Amino acid sequence: MRNLLTTQDQNFYRELILKEAYTRLAWKMKYSKEYPTTFASRRSKSIGLFNPPSVGKVTLPPVVQTREKPARRSLSEAPLMRPVSPRTTAALYQGLSNEGKGRSLYLKKRAQKGPEEKFDYPILSSWDYGWRLGDYEIDCKTPAYGRSGIVRSTFYARNGIFNIPAATDQLG
């Protein structure tokens, strides 16, 4: 039901309903003599056969299938995504996905890169927040009079949680 709110889907359903109506009308005009329809009222009286109006031959709009050629990009249009490195592209054609190679490995390598490395500029408005955040230095220092010692001695010991900091744990 979520897709019914878009204009494209509404136009699709409108066209689908019209095509079905034209198809039913064309079938009824062609086969009305072979398959007559009678309408019976509550008292089982026969009102009569359904006779469609004589409009002549109903012609449906032709179904045209066109193959869309890929549009050529002009030099003024910039591509949305940066080209993939040859090593990453080569991973796409080596091995099978269920072995963890091929397409699976290619997608994992692409997922490791952030949007800033894949695109020249933010495509989505949500990308504006945090875009090129790595270009700025973040000066986060631990507070000189922080309470980390109090938390360590009271919380961890009382609740049975062992605080064993790793070498990679940093506060800033």
Side-chain angles (χ1 to χ4, degrees), residues 90-105:
L92 182 63
Y93 301 106
Q94 294 176 357
L96 301 173
S97 291
N98 58 6
E99 297 173 351
K101 296 179 183 176
R103 182 172 179 259
S104 174
L105 181 63

Side-chain angles (χ1 to χ4, degrees), residues 109-125:
K109 284 185 175 184
R110 289 297 288 171
Q112 288 175 352
K113 290 189 175 186
E116 297 172 357
E117 298 171 6
K118 294 182 206 174
F119 298 91
D120 291 322
Y121 54 91
I123 304 294
L124 305 174
S125 61

Side-chain angles (χ1 to χ4, degrees), residues 63-79:
V63 177
V64 180
Q65 293 182 352
T66 59
R67 291 186 178 179
E68 295 181 10
K69 294 180 180 178
R72 291 186 178 179
R73 288 189 177 211
S74 65
L75 296 176
S76 63
E77 293 181 29

